[in-house]
Amino acid sequence: MPKYIFTVLFSLFSLSFAKGNECLRCHKGIEPIRPLQSEMMKQIYKLAEKAGYKDNNCIVCHGGNPEGKSKEEAHKGTVPYFLENEGSKNFYPDPGSPWINRHTCGVCHKEHVEAQFSSLMFTEAGKIQGTLWGFGGIEGYEHKIGNYQVEESDIHKKMGTDIYKKYIEQLRSKEPQVFHNKMEALPPAPTAEEVEKNPQLAVYTYLRQECLRCHTGVKGRQKRGDYRGMGCSSCHIPYSNEGFYEGNDPTIPKNERGHLLVHSIQGTRDTSVNIHGIEYSGIPVETCTTCHDRGKRIGTSFQGLMETSYKTPFLEDGSDQPPLHTKHYLHLKADIHMKKGMLCQDCHTSIDVHGDGRLAGTTLAAVEIECQDCHGTPDKYPWELPIGYSDEFEEKPKSGKARGVTYILPDYMKKGKVYPPEDGYLLTTRGNPFGNVVRKDDEIIVYTAGGKDIKLKPLKRLKEEGKLSKEAHIAMVMIDEHINRMECYTCHSTWAPQCYGCHIKIDYSKGNKHPDWIAMGNAVDIHGLTADARGMLRDFLIDGKVEESRSYLRWENPPLVQNGEGRISPAVPGCQTTVTIIGKDGKVLLLNHIFKIPNVEGAGKEGQKGIDIAPLHPHTVQKESRSCESCHSNPLAIGYGIEGGKIYEDPSKAYIVDLSTPNGKVIPKTFKTQINSIPELDHDWSRFVTEDGKQLQTVGHHFKLSRPLNNEERNHLDRRGVCISCHQEIPDGDVAVSLLSHLKEVTGIDINNRFHSNLLHKLLLIGAWGQLLGVVFVASLVSYILWKRRKRA
């Protein structure tokens, strides 16, 4: 009998016949939250025994009345039993709820629970600042508003190495606008009357209704692909995209969406989940994508999913492609790490995900890893790189002593799977150990949460063994600036979702009202359930209805900018906000309006357009990088826009399509504008800098170093038109060239790509040696003449 079947049967048998567990009168057949032989389950039993109910492990997480003989008795009131001096517990349907999990998960995992309120998954501070930026830079560059009022937790004093703590303090002093000791609560939603007086206030309607439904303080939107728990359960309890329960608890409906897939915890490699004869470990990528399918779209991009307006190809029964996260998708290349069988948690550390108790305003501030932490550079192994490499927050590569490795893990990292250190745990660029990435000789082992041991050779080892491709050797070894000034994923992310033009309409007419996700998060009951989890959405409606659309989509050849770390990175439209506001009486208050922000991003009092190009890691990494031409011969990559921004007609002018004269005069009296104007926009959405260096949009609004490529960088990058250098003389622009062209015609030589490349290579060598020998000859001749003169004298 396979081990996983024995485990499941033994667990179910033990639970079903456990003496004194009144919960199983109703929930007979429910899956054990962890396998009974696991260390976590043993600890749960000890806590149950400490509480005086050694045979009822349910109470440790769910509380309730362990002596109740009915559902009403078991689920009601406060029961007098004690765990870790926390006092009495209520009944907790979702023990992971952040509003009560100090009594449940926090009994064992105190550090993570204490840090949760300062994590970006809870505050969403970067998303808030970015949205306020697009509505006129309401808070400027400051990241001081979160979903709820929260202060920095002292737990950060216990999390991370001393090197890490010192590094973060230095970073905080460099970027104080991103790191605050406390955050203010998001202002309340405006009424329709208040919006009439100040349409800019509609941003809070937009945030509360649309943008902030993903934070871990609520269960979020109940749509296909969006089902999840909240707090710890957001990630650690499996929910399928369809939202159906497929376990054996007879009390949970199997034909009703919105339920967990199975009553089990998913987490590290030793946290196995068994269902339908399938055993898996780790947190599936799709769990993360439940939230990470909007904004940067890194979850869907990691899976190779690119949004489309089309619903094809059709399914087996001829129906449309079903919406996922309310969208439809093309299937492009998934990230190579996913193809290798890696999960998000295999790269991202515990601090990346849970936070460390400090308040960080955006992802770049919170994430502590870089590609080079595992892959190194062609000249240095990861352990030979200094702390802070590729995370410099300055415009030069980090130098200093080697970071080395460590054999010691902090206590909070020992509560999951602990792997053998071999020749030492690798360190992140900020100085914390990777608990799952170790050195063995000059190679690296990545222990994945899904059960794989992936061995990789760092770049230096590949270089020493001569295993780098010709293209890789040229790009990384022969051109230092690529390694010193660029992110690895600048070349290796071959596509990125580019959603140009974010058109937002907020309509306060016709009594439109929709739920307020933050208000529902604040309305939590004694059982830890927020209003949305209790199905009370209609009790938390606010004025307005939000609609979103876009101008066009692209995925190929994302443009290049400098990110906040001071390195060249890919970028996508962040939020190119164009706002239309309809008042309560149906009057248009703002129409296709782009707010301007004075005295920022290269603009003076007239203001810079509040539409943004955002640096990011697209999470679409491939082994084979994008081509040299995709950057060096591409005006989009440089910042000049698709085809240099010359294709898109002037969007500041309306366009009418109907019968018209040759001079463009519309003939009918009754007609409609087909494409309306965007008065503040006089260029293509993809164009954010001009050839003479004038900035047209903001480029990143979180960190000080985010910007378009400057004049010098664009000149170094731009190699457009080099073909003309040769072909202006071909076939008869010069006598020698004309003779060679004639020879080619006579001999029938096929000048294909390979021949062309070899010819250019030869010409380079001839030209270089010719000029060098010419300099040597001239120098020798001058020396000879001077020698002769001295001799005569």
Side-chain angles (χ1 to χ4, degrees):
M1 180 182 291
K3 180 180 176 183
Y4 68 81
I5 295 179
F6 175 82
T7 300
V8 173
L9 292 177
F10 176 76
S11 300
L12 292 175
F13 177 88
S14 302
L15 278 173
S16 298
F17 292 94
K19 294 180 180 180
N21 192 337
E22 295 293 335
C23 302
L24 297 180
R25 285 177 177 269
C26 296
H27 298 282
K28 184 177 180 179
I30 192 171
E31 305 75 37
I33 195 70
R34 286 291 305 277
L36 296 185
Q37 72 274 21
S38 68
E39 185 59 34
M40 181 175 176
M41 203 63 181
K42 292 175 184 177
Q43 294 299 320
I44 289 174
Y45 272 116
K46 286 181 181 179
L47 290 171
E49 184 174 4
K50 185 176 180 180
Y53 297 92
K54 68 175 184 177
D55 295 319
N56 190 333
N57 56 69
C58 305
I59 64 169
V60 174
C61 298
H62 288 283
N65 182 355
E67 298 176 0
K69 303 298 183 183
S70 67
K71 177 180 178 180
E72 291 72 22
E73 290 179 356
H75 292 185
K76 74 176 182 180
T78 302
V79 182
Y81 69 94
F82 303 89
L83 294 175
E84 300 294 325
N85 299 317
E86 281 289 353
S88 54
K89 288 192 177 185
N90 289 291
F91 169 60
Y92 305 128
D94 185 347
S97 167
W99 309 106
I100 51 85
N101 61 12
R102 65 186 182 280
H103 302 300
T104 55
C105 311
V107 174
C108 296
H109 301 278
K110 182 179 179 181
E111 298 94 342
H112 296 129
V113 166
E114 205 171 311
Q116 68 182 330
F117 294 112
S118 57
S119 76
L120 276 172
M121 292 187 183
F122 188 82
T123 69
E124 295 191 291
K127 192 186 295 184
I128 292 171
Q129 188 270 348
T131 307
L132 295 177
W133 183 267
F135 275 71
I138 294 173
E139 292 294 333
Y141 292 101
E142 296 299 324
H143 297 64
K144 62 182 181 181
I145 295 180
N147 286 328
Y148 310 94
Q149 183 176 341
V150 62
E151 294 189 11
E152 193 170 78
S153 169
D154 283 341
I155 198 67
H156 70 79
K157 297 176 182 177
K158 301 178 183 178
M159 299 186 75
T161 63
D162 291 340
I163 294 173
Y164 170 79
K165 293 171 187 174
K166 180 180 178 181
Y167 184 94
I168 292 297
E169 290 308 311
Q170 292 173 345
L171 182 54
R172 287 166 70 104
S173 65
K174 283 184 178 180
E175 304 283 354
Q177 77 285 355
V178 175
F179 296 93
H180 286 270
N181 293 323
K182 61 182 180 180
M183 286 184 180
E184 304 167 12
L186 186 71
T191 64
E193 290 73 21
E194 289 172 325
V195 172
E196 291 278 342
K197 298 175 183 177
N198 182 5
Q200 198 175 24
L201 293 176
V203 66
Y204 299 112
T205 301
Y206 180 45
L207 282 164
R208 286 173 169 270
Q209 285 188 9
E210 189 69 22
C211 305
L212 303 177
R213 63 175 180 263
C214 280
H215 74 282
T216 54
V218 294
K219 276 182 70 72
R221 183 174 65 184
Q222 299 294 287
K223 297 284 188 179
R224 183 173 183 266
D226 297 339
Y227 300 111
R228 61 173 174 85
M230 55 182 172
C232 304
S233 304
S234 301
C235 305
H236 289 286
I237 298 297
Y239 282 72
S240 74
N241 281 343
E242 306 303 332
F244 290 120
Y245 174 67
E246 297 181 8
N248 298 308
D249 186 338
T251 70
I252 304 176
K254 294 193 176 183
N255 60 350
E256 180 181 271
R257 296 182 187 271
H259 295 289
L260 72 174
L261 176 68
V262 62
H263 180 260
S264 297
I265 288 176
Q266 58 187 21
T268 58
R269 181 184 283 199
D270 57 1
T271 313
S272 61
V273 177
N274 294 277
I275 183 169
H276 307 320
I278 298 172
E279 182 175 10
Y280 76 89
S281 62
I283 298 173
V285 170
E286 185 58 26
T287 295
C288 304
T289 307
T290 299
C291 288
H292 293 281
D293 58 77
R294 225 179 116 82
K296 295 178 181 176
R297 298 165 172 82
I298 56 175
T300 43
S301 296
F302 189 70
Q303 295 172 294
L305 297 178
M306 170 67 201
E307 286 174 42
T308 177
S309 300
Y310 308 111
K311 303 176 183 179
T312 52
F314 302 115
L315 300 186
E316 292 85 351
D317 60 357
S319 60
D320 293 342
Q321 178 193 133
L324 179 66
H325 317 299
T326 70
K327 306 175 186 76
H328 299 93
Y329 293 95
L330 300 171
H331 195 193
L332 306 183
K333 291 277 190 179
D335 192 286
I336 190 173
H337 298 88
M338 183 176 178
K339 290 180 178 179
K340 292 286 186 181
M342 295 177 67
L343 305 175
C344 304
Q345 69 195 95
D346 295 324
C347 288
H348 287 288
T349 66
S350 176
I351 282 180
D352 279 4
V353 178
H354 299 103
D356 63 358
R358 296 173 178 84
L359 286 166
T362 185
T363 49
L364 201 62
V367 173
E368 62 170 328
I369 60 171
E370 294 289 345
C371 306
Q372 295 91 335
D373 294 348
C374 290
H375 294 280
T377 70
D379 295 323
K380 291 184 183 292
Y381 287 105
W383 46 87
E384 295 176 333
L385 292 171
I387 293 294
Y389 189 84
S390 198
D391 192 49
E392 291 89 356
F393 288 88
E394 54 187 35
E395 295 174 324
K396 60 181 180 180
K398 195 76 172 181
S399 60
K401 67 178 183 179
R403 69 179 69 169
V405 296
T406 185
Y407 293 88
I408 302 171
L409 294 179
D411 290 340
Y412 70 89
M413 290 182 67
K414 296 177 182 177
K415 293 178 181 178
K417 175 70 175 176
V418 177
Y419 298 99
E422 300 291 347
D423 296 326
Y425 296 107
L426 268 62
L427 297 176
T428 72
T429 189
R430 297 184 180 181
N432 282 325
F434 283 104
N436 66 317
V437 185
V438 301
R439 174 185 178 183
K440 189 170 184 179
D441 299 322
D442 286 338
E443 295 186 354
I444 289 166
I445 302 174
V446 179
Y447 296 108
T448 73
K452 290 188 172 185
D453 297 346
I454 298 176
K455 295 182 180 179
L456 69 88
K457 294 182 179 182
L459 288 171
K460 183 175 179 179
R461 178 75 177 271
L462 292 173
K463 175 189 168 186
E464 290 171 346
E465 294 179 355
K467 292 184 177 179
L468 291 176
S469 68
K470 179 176 75 173
E471 294 83 359
H473 184 84
I474 292 170
M476 293 188 289
V477 178
M478 299 182 68
I479 305 176
D480 289 339
E481 285 297 284
H482 284 167
I483 291 294
N484 293 337
R485 290 282 288 117
M486 295 171 63
E487 301 283 11
C488 301
Y489 52 82
T490 304
C491 293
H492 286 280
S493 288
T494 54
W495 66 274
Q498 300 157 61
C499 179
Y500 288 103
C502 181
H503 299 267
I504 302 163
K505 181 168 73 173
I506 308 173
D507 188 350
Y508 293 90
S509 69
K510 303 175 185 177
N512 279 322
K513 291 180 181 289
H514 283 265
D516 180 338
W517 290 103
I518 305 305
M520 288 189 288
N522 275 311
V524 61
D525 67 9
I526 60 172
H527 305 293
L529 295 181
T530 51
D532 65 303
R534 304 196 304 273
M536 299 176 63
L537 278 70
R538 291 186 178 276
D539 294 338
F540 291 86
L541 302 178
I542 56 175
D543 291 345
K545 176 186 177 182
V546 174
E547 294 181 37
E548 291 179 309
S549 189
R550 67 204 21 135
S551 288
Y552 60 87
L553 289 169
R554 290 289 186 275
W555 62 79
E556 70 280 9
N557 303 330
L560 306 184
V561 301
Q562 180 171 283
N563 66 16
E565 294 172 335
R567 286 186 170 250
I568 308 304
S569 98
V572 299
C575 203
Q576 293 179 318
T577 311
T578 308
V579 182
T580 296
I581 308 293
I582 310 296
K584 62 179 182 177
D585 298 324
K587 179 183 177 182
V588 177
L589 305 178
L590 289 177
L591 181 61
N592 299 324
H593 180 69
I594 295 176
F595 287 94
K596 289 195 173 183
I597 309 170
N599 303 313
V600 300
E601 308 280 328
K605 293 180 180 180
E606 76 283 0
Q608 182 60 270
K609 289 186 287 291
I611 56 177
D612 189 64
I613 296 291
L616 88 164
H617 185 334
H619 288 68
T620 57
V621 171
Q622 310 296 323
K623 183 176 182 180
E624 183 178 350
S625 71
R626 62 192 286 183
S627 69
C628 304
E629 294 83 3
S630 73
C631 293
H632 289 281
S633 298
N634 186 358
L636 173 63
I638 302 170
Y640 299 150
I642 297 169
E643 296 296 326
K646 297 174 183 177
I647 291 180
Y648 211 88
E649 191 55 85
D650 185 354
S652 66
K653 298 176 182 178
Y655 189 51
I656 299 167
V657 181
D658 211 318
L659 300 178
S660 60
T661 68
N663 294 328
K665 186 175 182 179
V666 177
I667 297 171
K669 288 184 177 181
T670 303
F671 62 86
K672 283 189 175 181
T673 299
Q674 184 64 37
I675 303 171
N676 207 5
S677 63
I678 305 172
E680 293 83 14
L681 186 69
D682 58 359
H683 56 83
D684 183 2
W685 295 102
S686 63
R687 182 173 169 85
F688 53 90
V689 66
T690 66
E691 286 75 5
D692 59 3
K694 181 182 178 182
Q695 192 169 334
L696 302 175
Q697 307 180 40
T698 67
V699 176
H701 43 70
H702 299 301
F703 294 93
K704 297 174 182 177
L705 293 179
S706 296
R707 57 167 175 77
L709 303 184
N710 61 33
N711 290 346
E712 181 181 359
E713 291 160 347
R714 294 198 316 281
N715 288 335
H716 285 168
L717 177 63
D718 191 355
R719 293 296 178 265
R720 294 175 297 163
V722 293
C723 302
I724 297 174
S725 303
C726 295
H727 285 274
Q728 64 182 340
E729 304 293 346
I730 298 174
D732 54 7
D734 177 86
V735 174
V737 172
S738 179
L739 287 172
L740 287 176
S741 297
H742 181 68
L743 180 63
K744 174 252 181 188
E745 296 295 334
V746 172
T747 58
I749 296 174
D750 181 19
I751 303 183
N752 54 26
N753 185 278
R754 184 176 180 181
F755 184 93
H756 191 266
S757 297
N758 289 336
L759 179 63
L760 290 176
H761 183 235
K762 290 176 182 177
L763 291 173
L764 170 68
L765 296 178
I766 292 170
W769 278 106
Q771 292 186 61
L772 178 62
L773 292 175
V775 170
V776 171
F777 174 76
V778 170
S780 300
L781 182 61
V782 170
S783 298
Y784 175 76
I785 293 172
L786 293 174
W787 176 75
K788 289 289 288 183
R789 287 179 177 177
R790 284 197 300 270
K791 189 174 181 181
R792 290 195 191 101

